[in-house]
Amino acid sequence: MNSFTFHNPTELIFGKGQLSQLENKIDQLGSKILLVYGGGSIKKSGLYDKLQTIFQKKNCEIVELAGVEPNPRLSTVHKGIEFIREHKLNWILAVGGGSVIDASKAMAVGALYDGDVWDFYERKAVAKDALPLGTILTLSATGSEMNRGSVVTNWETKQKHGAGTTFPTFSILDPENTFTVPKNQTVYGISDTLSHTFEQYFSHTPEIPLQTGLAETIMKTVIGNAKKALDNPEDYDARANLMLSSTLALNGLLAMGVETDWATHSIEHAVSAVYDIPHGGGLAIIFPNWMKYVYKEDVSRFKRFAIEVWDVSPEGKSDEEIALAGIEAVRNFFNEIGAPSRLADYNIGDDQLKVMAKKALPFGPIGNFKKLSEEDVYEILKMSL
Amino acid sequence: MNSFTFHNPTELIFGKGQLSQLENKIDQLGSKILLVYGGGSIKKSGLYDKLQTIFQKKNCEIVELAGVEPNPRLSTVHKGIEFIREHKLNWILAVGGGSVIDASKAMAVGALYDGDVWDFYERKAVAKDALPLGTILTLSATGSEMNRGSVVTNWETKQKHGAGTTFPTFSILDPENTFTVPKNQTVYGISDTLSHTFEQYFSHTPEIPLQTGLAETIMKTVIGNAKKALDNPEDYDARANLMLSSTLALNGLLAMGVETDWATHSIEHAVSAVYDIPHGGGLAIIFPNWMKYVYKEDVSRFKRFAIEVWDVSPEGKSDEEIALAGIEAVRNFFNEIGAPSRLADYNIGDDQLKVMAKKALPFGPIGNFKKLSEEDVYEILKMSL
């Protein structure tokens, strides 16, 4: 096990009806709030009206920033920072999924920074101070509700970068708020959660039985509840298990003392920076190909993955065959839940492969399970066509 | 899954040589420190000298409170509070195991409270403010380094109570600091960690695959590393895995959305309030008997426990036989590592059973997997003779 520091101060408020806790939070953090949300699904679901009732009861001054994009844009972040400064707002309430929360994190640190917030994403500066940020999660996927990561796209330069920004002060996770998530979004969330676990599970760090078992538990829970939630979107327990899985998959727990990978995320970011495809869709396409490309770095890890997570029967198979059967099981699972399997599903051809390969390595080689060069990424993208 | 709130702000600083981080903490929290430790093992191990070097470098004003007892006493807590007030100290540094940390937590909240700190333990008041508290863990067992629980014994009234107090601000966990822990203390720590997991694993809450798998992972990790650490006390990875297991077993993770039990802890507290026996020893004696007494409340849970955690082969056995074989495996494991198996091992006879049974229920019936009355506790204690 490697050395590590773990410090996650986010208050997680989980379960049916927990929205009522918002009133206390307004008392604590102040009543001048920037309300950030996406394309309006919170109006259809009724959540917006419930919020208005609370805001009125608490005499809040609300400035709204609606329409945050699925791959949130730097220009949107700039707008939010302007609103905060202009109206001297106390804190930010992000209502939505990872994109809304990521954009809000950027606003939280950007509002208290003299330079351009993009500096944090270009690694020119490190975020220190932040406005308080509360989130109400409506989509189980990114884990952004309980970590300090934020991914923002600079559409002018076609760059999609991640940065460490700030932890949400609190996050309200009511599984019922995910009942109305459409099927494709649910699928992308499942793909995203599994992918986060893969990035941390495939590691060469020795003697990590805890982190291995925790990751396997999360993967098995997601696999075991995915179809239930897709078949019956109002299955509370299935939604609750997917929700808590996605939070625990990326709150720092799985990375304790472990060298993690994250190459596949860099590749996907490059793809969706060029083509603006859904992150979870891109991951479902690329991850099995990454696995095929790298499994020889540690066949025994992939063998264990196949047996423990995917119930591959080892009988009569060589270690390599078991490992490959596990990778095949990942592909099959993604197919079964209706995730895309090829870049062609998004009408992406081979004309920009080199551009994307270059974009995937903005700061040098990526990955740790296998260090990938631009050529390696090109090969993985070719396998994904 | 039940609703829950999780909020654990402790910064965990884990690994070889992490003591160096203490300097930053002194910069942040101040240089007037109450140093709390136990019977002097930190002097033998060399840790005390390393601390002195740092304190001198940082020009610290240190007030020492040494000799905290294995079941820390209210009188010791009172002394610490006096020192803090008299010398106007900035914060507390607890160096030791759960007892030292628990006592220090009591001092941290007691120092800022007008009444007697025992009020918190008698549930007459709720702790709100606390002095900052840092810990340097030297014994893997109680998980106190990353939770707000504290157990203190009032020797005048022979009462041993737990209370929610304050989270450590930071905890430094260097597995090397546990290399010199004697064999019996290592055994008690293993028993304590497993017992914490049992208390949260045996639950009737439905649909908790995540919490179930996380608990099983912790139990399997402890079982898989116990003998390694006992055979070779300087096995870094074994010590690291036991250390992180004990922290994760009681930092709130396993209790997310789960109805937990804690009857066995109440029973053990009653026993060691009367006889002052080691907590981990008492748990190793009582837990298998609690299991035998309650398993019929949910045979399927105990069946799963037997198969997943103890590798009991289900072949040719009824569910009840599998469940009982699992409980037998717990007893055998504790015997193999050299834990006590009967109260007689501590020369405890049947003369105080009724007194202890009464003491085990200071605030009414205990436990949730099966609600236990005074008579139930009496029976379990009789089985433990």
Side-chain angles (χ1 to χ4, degrees), chain B residues 233-285:
Chain B
E234 304 201 355
D235 180 331
Y236 181 86
D237 282 309
R239 291 290 197 180
N241 276 303
L242 290 179
M243 199 167 214
L244 189 54
S245 292
S246 62
T247 303
L248 296 184
L250 203 53
N251 75 343
L253 186 66
L254 299 185
M256 285 181 169
V258 172
E259 187 185 63
T260 57
D261 194 79
W262 297 103
T264 307
H265 268 69
S266 294
I267 301 174
E268 198 293 317
H269 286 175
V271 175
S272 63
V274 174
Y275 291 101
D276 204 15
I277 67 169
H279 179 56
L283 290 168
I285 294 167

XYZ file of all heavy atoms in Angstrom, chain B residues 233-285:
390
model
N 5.826 -9.019 13.399
C 5.279 -7.718 13.818
C 5.749 -6.557 12.955
O 5.149 -5.490 12.979
C 5.798 -7.555 15.245
C 6.120 -8.936 15.707
C 6.553 -9.692 14.479
N 6.838 -6.744 12.183
C 7.330 -5.643 11.342
C 6.957 -5.829 9.869
O 7.607 -5.277 8.978
C 8.844 -5.477 11.537
C 9.187 -5.253 13.011
C 10.538 -4.588 13.248
O 11.263 -4.384 12.258
O 10.837 -4.288 14.414
N 5.929 -6.617 9.609
C 5.414 -6.763 8.244
C 4.608 -5.503 7.921
O 3.456 -5.356 8.352
C 4.537 -8.017 8.169
C 3.964 -8.250 6.776
O 3.753 -7.273 6.019
O 3.712 -9.425 6.437
N 5.234 -4.588 7.171
C 4.608 -3.281 6.928
C 3.221 -3.407 6.314
O 2.259 -2.768 6.754
C 5.491 -2.415 6.027
C 4.897 -1.039 5.763
C 5.109 0.001 6.652
C 4.094 -0.802 4.656
C 4.549 1.254 6.445
C 3.522 0.449 4.440
C 3.757 1.467 5.331
O 3.190 2.698 5.129
N 3.117 -4.237 5.265
C 1.832 -4.301 4.565
C 0.732 -4.902 5.430
O -0.416 -4.464 5.379
C 1.990 -5.063 3.249
C 2.625 -4.177 2.177
O 2.129 -3.059 1.973
O 3.627 -4.593 1.572
N 1.097 -5.918 6.237
C 0.093 -6.498 7.133
C -0.367 -5.456 8.147
O -1.567 -5.278 8.383
C 0.663 -7.721 7.842
N 0.596 -4.727 8.723
C 0.244 -3.677 9.693
C -0.587 -2.569 9.021
O -1.520 -2.031 9.614
C 1.515 -3.082 10.301
C 2.274 -4.026 11.226
C 1.531 -4.283 12.526
N 2.403 -4.853 13.559
C 1.984 -5.160 14.786
N 0.712 -4.983 15.138
N 2.830 -5.666 15.680
N -0.209 -2.222 7.782
C -0.937 -1.162 7.068
C -2.379 -1.596 6.809
O -3.322 -0.816 6.985
C -0.238 -0.826 5.751
N -2.546 -2.837 6.402
C -3.900 -3.309 6.123
C -4.753 -3.407 7.385
O -5.950 -3.093 7.356
C -3.857 -4.644 5.376
C -3.683 -4.431 3.879
O -4.491 -3.754 3.255
N -2.617 -4.973 3.317
N -4.143 -3.828 8.491
C -4.902 -3.852 9.747
C -5.260 -2.429 10.177
O -6.368 -2.166 10.660
C -4.091 -4.532 10.861
C -3.890 -6.043 10.729
C -3.049 -6.570 11.908
C -5.232 -6.785 10.676
N -4.323 -1.509 9.975
C -4.536 -0.128 10.408
C -5.675 0.534 9.621
O -6.602 1.099 10.203
C -3.236 0.654 10.209
C -3.138 1.940 11.000
S -1.423 2.570 10.968
C -1.327 3.310 12.600
N -5.614 0.426 8.300
C -6.662 1.062 7.502
C -8.010 0.359 7.713
O -9.064 1.007 7.720
C -6.268 1.069 6.019
C -7.161 1.901 5.089
C -7.307 3.347 5.570
C -6.621 1.888 3.663
N -7.959 -0.954 7.930
C -9.202 -1.691 8.209
C -9.867 -1.177 9.466
O -11.086 -0.967 9.503
C -8.922 -3.188 8.388
O -8.518 -3.773 7.182
N -9.064 -0.968 10.506
C -9.675 -0.545 11.772
C -10.254 0.851 11.639
O -11.288 1.160 12.234
C -8.670 -0.627 12.920
O -7.584 0.238 12.693
N -9.623 1.690 10.827
C -10.154 3.041 10.620
C -11.465 3.002 9.835
O -12.457 3.619 10.224
C -9.120 3.917 9.875
O -7.902 3.924 10.622
C -9.618 5.342 9.712
N -11.466 2.254 8.726
C -12.663 2.214 7.882
C -13.817 1.472 8.548
O -14.980 1.689 8.221
C -12.343 1.556 6.532
C -11.343 2.294 5.640
C -11.201 1.574 4.304
C -11.763 3.746 5.412
N -13.490 0.586 9.491
C -14.542 -0.184 10.157
C -15.429 0.697 11.028
O -16.553 0.312 11.345
C -13.926 -1.296 11.007
N -14.913 1.872 11.414
C -15.728 2.695 12.314
C -15.624 4.185 12.007
O -15.605 5.015 12.909
C -15.345 2.407 13.778
C -16.434 2.742 14.816
C -17.746 2.076 14.478
C -15.991 2.343 16.213
N -15.592 4.515 10.712
C -15.580 5.937 10.349
C -16.919 6.387 9.755
O -17.010 7.470 9.179
C -14.424 6.251 9.391
C -14.685 5.774 7.990
O -15.570 4.936 7.766
N -13.933 6.267 7.031
N -17.928 5.546 9.891
C -19.257 5.919 9.414
C -19.631 5.266 8.100
O -20.804 5.204 7.731
N -18.625 4.748 7.410
C -18.847 4.158 6.084
C -19.811 2.969 6.143
O -20.762 2.880 5.364
C -17.481 3.703 5.547
C -17.398 3.172 4.138
C -17.712 4.273 3.136
C -15.997 2.612 3.864
N -19.561 2.044 7.068
C -20.365 0.820 7.120
C -21.776 1.079 7.642
O -22.671 0.258 7.445
C -19.685 -0.232 8.003
C -18.301 -0.698 7.562
C -17.809 -1.814 8.466
C -18.329 -1.171 6.121
N -21.953 2.200 8.321
C -23.264 2.497 8.908
C -24.156 3.307 7.980
O -25.310 3.565 8.299
C -23.072 3.254 10.218
N -23.625 3.687 6.802
C -24.432 4.470 5.859
C -25.725 3.723 5.529
O -25.700 2.672 4.893
C -23.659 4.659 4.547
C -22.537 5.667 4.613
S -21.746 5.805 2.958
C -20.717 7.263 3.218
N -26.851 4.264 5.927
C -28.132 3.689 5.538
C -28.455 2.342 6.145
O -29.324 1.628 5.632
N -27.767 1.989 7.227
C -27.930 0.660 7.818
C -28.337 0.792 9.286
O -27.762 1.602 10.020
C -26.588 -0.113 7.735
C -26.652 -1.414 8.517
C -26.221 -0.380 6.280
N -29.295 -0.016 9.727
C -29.592 -0.089 11.163
C -28.545 -0.987 11.806
O -28.413 -2.153 11.446
C -30.990 -0.670 11.383
C -31.411 -0.608 12.843
C -32.745 -1.303 13.082
O -32.825 -2.533 12.856
O -33.691 -0.629 13.487
N -27.786 -0.430 12.737
C -26.689 -1.183 13.346
C -27.114 -1.745 14.710
O -28.191 -1.428 15.207
C -25.461 -0.279 13.502
O -25.824 0.869 14.274
C -24.961 0.180 12.131
N -26.258 -2.559 15.321
C -26.674 -3.267 16.534
C -26.077 -2.707 17.832
O -26.746 -2.066 18.602
C -26.314 -4.746 16.412
C -27.029 -5.541 17.481
O -28.227 -5.826 17.289
O -26.418 -5.843 18.532
N -24.803 -2.991 18.083
C -24.040 -2.470 19.223
C -24.427 -3.019 20.585
O -23.980 -2.515 21.608
C -24.065 -0.923 19.234
C -23.397 -0.380 18.019
C -23.989 0.139 16.915
C -21.981 -0.379 17.740
N -23.049 0.484 15.968
C -21.814 0.172 16.457
C -20.851 -0.803 18.463
C -20.554 0.321 15.855
C -19.614 -0.651 17.870
C -19.474 -0.090 16.571
N -25.223 -4.110 20.625
C -25.552 -4.704 21.935
C -24.309 -5.295 22.585
O -24.082 -5.135 23.785
C -26.622 -5.776 21.763
N -23.497 -5.989 21.785
C -22.334 -6.671 22.355
C -21.373 -5.674 22.982
O -20.759 -5.954 24.019
C -21.634 -7.511 21.269
O -22.620 -8.352 20.662
C -20.538 -8.375 21.867
N -21.243 -4.497 22.353
C -20.387 -3.475 22.960
C -20.937 -3.017 24.317
O -20.176 -2.803 25.262
C -20.215 -2.279 22.019
C -19.004 -2.409 21.146
N -18.914 -3.338 20.143
C -17.804 -1.773 21.174
C -17.723 -3.245 19.567
N -17.034 -2.301 20.177
N -22.241 -2.871 24.397
C -22.826 -2.483 25.687
C -22.539 -3.543 26.745
O -22.227 -3.223 27.900
C -24.341 -2.304 25.554
O -24.628 -1.215 24.718
N -22.646 -4.801 26.342
C -22.390 -5.885 27.309
C -20.922 -5.856 27.747
O -20.607 -5.931 28.939
C -22.741 -7.270 26.689
C -24.217 -7.300 26.264
C -22.436 -8.383 27.686
C -24.637 -8.564 25.514
N -20.033 -5.704 26.779
C -18.612 -5.685 27.129
C -18.279 -4.491 28.018
O -17.501 -4.609 28.966
C -17.747 -5.676 25.859
C -16.292 -6.087 26.099
C -15.496 -5.099 26.951
O -15.625 -3.875 26.739
O -14.742 -5.557 27.830
N -18.882 -3.334 27.711
C -18.616 -2.158 28.548
C -19.016 -2.426 30.000
O -18.321 -2.012 30.928
C -19.358 -0.932 28.022
C -18.750 -0.373 26.774
N -19.315 0.660 26.067
C -17.627 -0.700 26.102
C -18.563 0.942 25.015
N -17.536 0.115 25.011
N -20.120 -3.152 30.167
C -20.559 -3.477 31.533
C -19.542 -4.394 32.210
O -19.193 -4.207 33.379
C -21.931 -4.137 31.488
N -19.043 -5.373 31.464
C -18.056 -6.298 32.039
C -16.786 -5.542 32.418
O -16.278 -5.684 33.534
C -17.712 -7.439 31.054
C -16.594 -8.318 31.621
C -18.944 -8.282 30.743
N -16.289 -4.711 31.509
C -15.010 -4.086 31.859
C -15.187 -2.898 32.804
O -14.220 -2.447 33.413
C -14.160 -3.764 30.629
O -14.763 -2.843 29.790
N -16.416 -2.428 32.980
C -16.643 -1.414 34.025
C -16.526 -2.067 35.404
O -16.078 -1.445 36.364
C -18.011 -0.767 33.865
N -16.910 -3.333 35.487
C -16.843 -4.023 36.785
C -15.465 -4.645 36.998
O -14.908 -4.596 38.097
C -17.955 -5.103 36.882
C -17.806 -5.921 38.164
C -19.331 -4.435 36.831
N -14.882 -5.231 35.949
C -13.628 -5.978 36.130
C -12.386 -5.346 35.488
O -11.288 -5.884 35.613
C -13.788 -7.409 35.605
C -14.711 -8.256 36.449
C -16.024 -8.490 36.064
C -14.261 -8.811 37.652
C -16.872 -9.269 36.835
C -15.106 -9.599 38.434
C -16.418 -9.816 38.025
O -17.245 -10.585 38.800
N -12.555 -4.248 34.751
C -11.411 -3.573 34.120
C -10.582 -4.503 33.231
O -9.359 -4.493 33.267
C -10.506 -2.934 35.198
C -9.691 -1.758 34.619
O -10.040 -1.285 33.519
O -8.706 -1.339 35.261
N -11.257 -5.341 32.440
C -10.541 -6.231 31.513
C -10.357 -5.510 30.177
O -11.057 -4.531 29.890
C -11.298 -7.570 31.287
C -12.623 -7.322 30.522
C -11.548 -8.276 32.617
C -13.287 -8.593 30.039
N -9.415 -5.967 29.336
C -9.229 -5.298 28.033
C -10.483 -5.448 27.164
O -11.042 -6.548 27.053
C -8.053 -6.048 27.405
C -7.411 -6.795 28.518
C -8.484 -7.076 29.526
N -10.877 -4.338 26.560
C -12.089 -4.273 25.734
C -12.065 -5.344 24.634
O -13.037 -6.081 24.446
C -12.164 -2.868 25.132
C -13.332 -2.619 24.229
N -14.636 -2.796 24.618
C -13.374 -2.188 22.937
C -15.443 -2.482 23.608
N -14.695 -2.112 22.577
N -10.945 -5.429 23.903
C -10.855 -6.398 22.800
C -10.934 -7.832 23.290
O -11.471 -8.716 22.600
N -10.409 -8.075 24.465
C -10.502 -9.413 25.061
C -11.938 -9.757 25.405
O -12.431 -10.856 25.094
N -12.617 -8.813 26.017
C -14.020 -9.030 26.378
C -14.884 -9.294 25.147
O -15.744 -10.179 25.148
N -14.633 -8.547 24.078
C -15.413 -8.723 22.850
C -15.208 -10.108 22.245
O -16.151 -10.730 21.757
C -15.032 -7.643 21.826
C -15.478 -6.219 22.154
C -14.804 -5.219 21.225
C -17.002 -6.086 22.069
N -13.945 -10.574 22.264
C -13.650 -11.899 21.685
C -14.395 -12.991 22.447
O -14.797 -14.006 21.870
C -12.142 -12.158 21.710
N -14.584 -12.786 23.733
C -15.323 -13.761 24.540
C -16.809 -13.707 24.237
O -17.459 -14.726 23.998
C -15.106 -13.476 26.055
C -13.647 -13.728 26.437
C -16.045 -14.326 26.909
C -13.258 -13.181 27.809
